[in-house]
Amino acid sequence: MSVEILQTHKLLASCEEALAARYTVHKLHQAADREALLADLRDRVRGIAGGNVGPELMDKLPKLEIIANFGVGYDTIDTAAAKARSIRVTNTPDVLNDAMAEITIGLMIALARKLPQADHYVRQGKWKRATFPLQAELNGKTLGILGLGRIGKEIALRAQAMKMRVVYHGRHRQPDEPFVYYDKLIEMARDVDWLLAIAPGGKATEKVISRQVLEALGPTGYLVSMGRGTSIDQAALLEMLQAKTLGGAAMDVFENEPDIDPALFALDNVVLSPHQGSATHQTRNKMGALVVANLDAHFAGDPLPSAVV
Ligand code: 8YV
């Protein structure tokens, strides 16, 4: 009998096939009666693939040894609870850096040049009557990065290729990084043209991009939100976009995804993206393979490729 694992939500076909080839997989998201399934699996499940795991689920699976999160961000896993129960937790870092960096620059250009509106303008036949209004460029502007981690560094490289100046703020200065460091986020927001949020989710970054930070960024400043919607005061953001006291925002992450605030839909100074940062065939296949590799390593007693706990 192969090791029994619980899959918490739908995963990529390639990942599901690889899991099924190695493990007895129980799909929680397909269970007609989740509690009945969990009760039946109580003493058998040793691993989880997916996400959204808190102490309640951990306590229903006392034999649980490892949670392999599908994603680099593991804010849906209660890592403290896992640690207290000697449960390992892994994520999928690095394999998504390029995909994230590409779309971030893409969303910045889309916002600066109003690409969605321009596409719409042509489809509506308006071009025959008038040229599309002049827009803005990235080169010569300053990008302030909140969260100069693995993904942030890849974005910084590409922003430099766009002839942008890059500065950053984070918990601490990184001496090996050539960029100017700001120890106060609000001061960085005051000095930059673009503010990129690519910090992890969770309590530590909750609403760190506050109303005051957005006000410092101001009516000619642009926000790019690529990390987690929770790190931004979304109510303040919406109000300031409506009042045009903030220049604009390109957003891939939101509060309450996918049921985001419909008031955003009417705004002309935003570009909206459905949390697709890592959503490419190439990258998601690599993320899935890393989920499987972490489970395989654990059950083989080998070091974990990407452990967070
Ligand atoms: C995931 C992400 O797709 O990796 C992350 O942290 O946000 C995305 O790449 C998302 O977590 C879905 O599982």
Side-chain angles (χ1 to χ4, degrees), residues 211-247:
R211 178 181 297 277
Q212 293 70 24
V213 168
L214 293 170
E215 284 166 355
L217 186 57
T220 60
Y222 292 125
L223 175 74
V224 193
S225 179
M226 302 303 294
R228 288 290 184 264
T230 51
S231 59
I232 295 163
D233 181 339
Q234 301 255 331
L237 174 63
L238 178 58
E239 231 178 81
M240 292 177 66
L241 288 166
Q242 288 167 330
K244 298 206 182 312
T245 52
L246 183 71

Side-chain angles (χ1 to χ4, degrees), residues 26-289:
H26 303 280
K27 298 187 175 186
L28 185 58
H29 55 296
Q30 291 179 354
D33 182 338
R34 291 166 62 96
E35 293 312 315
L37 174 68
L38 292 169
D40 176 42
L41 294 176
R42 182 180 167 72
D43 296 318
R44 294 164 28 208
V45 160
R46 296 173 56 196
I48 283 182
N52 293 317
V53 186
E56 309 75 28
L57 182 53
M58 294 175 197
D59 291 341
K60 288 180 180 151
L61 302 169
K63 297 281 191 298
L64 187 61
E65 299 165 23
I66 180 169
I67 301 165
N69 182 62
F70 188 96
V72 65
Y74 46 91
D75 43 306
T76 66
I77 313 253
D78 186 329
T79 48
K83 205 171 184 151
R85 293 161 178 76
S86 308
I87 298 168
R88 306 300 306 273
V89 178
T90 65
N91 66 344
T92 62
D94 293 318
V95 292
L96 40 60
N97 297 352
D98 291 329
M100 286 293 297
E102 281 181 16
I103 193 171
T104 301
I105 298 294
L107 286 170
M108 291 170 65
I109 295 173
L111 183 62
R113 304 297 289 266
K114 285 191 183 300
L115 293 183
Q117 292 91 333
D119 174 279
H120 210 48
Y121 186 89
V122 174
R123 291 171 197 264
Q124 290 174 328
K126 290 183 176 170
W127 190 17
K128 282 182 264 175
R129 295 191 293 281
T131 56
F132 190 69
L134 300 184
Q135 303 299 332
E137 294 172 31
L138 300 185
N139 69 77
K141 301 291 186 349
T142 299
L143 172 67
I145 299 181
L146 167 65
L148 191 68
R150 289 170 289 238
I151 299 172
K153 286 171 184 151
E154 284 296 333
I155 296 168
L157 282 179
R158 287 160 177 79
Q160 289 182 297
M162 294 285 163
K163 299 181 182 162
M164 297 185 85
R165 177 170 168 266
V166 175
V167 300
Y168 72 106
H169 168 75
R171 282 164 299 180
H172 50 76
R173 180 192 303 277
Q174 298 181 48
D176 302 339
E177 293 304 321
F179 313 116
V180 170
Y181 173 71
Y182 281 77
D183 59 2
K184 294 202 175 38
L185 175 57
I186 196 159
E187 285 172 14
M188 182 172 81
R190 199 167 290 124
D191 288 356
V192 300
D193 305 292
W194 291 81
L195 177 59
L196 165 66
I198 186 66
K203 278 256 162 294
T205 58
E206 212 160 290
K207 294 193 172 46
V208 66
I209 300 202
S210 61
R211 178 181 297 277
Q212 293 70 24
V213 168
L214 293 170
E215 284 166 355
L217 186 57
T220 60
Y222 292 125
L223 175 74
V224 193
S225 179
M226 302 303 294
R228 288 290 184 264
T230 51
S231 59
I232 295 163
D233 181 339
Q234 301 255 331
L237 174 63
L238 178 58
E239 231 178 81
M240 292 177 66
L241 288 166
Q242 288 167 330
K244 298 206 182 312
T245 52
L246 183 71
M251 306 159 75
D252 188 48
V253 291
F254 308 81
E255 279 175 348
N256 312 322
E257 293 173 12
D259 189 13
I260 69 171
D261 191 328
L264 289 163
F265 305 160
L267 298 174
D268 184 50
N269 51 3
V270 297
V271 175
L272 305 174
S273 171
H275 197 154
Q276 58 165 331
S278 68
T280 67
H281 299 288
Q282 178 179 347
T283 291
R284 288 288 171 84
N285 279 318
K286 289 180 193 163
M287 292 168 70

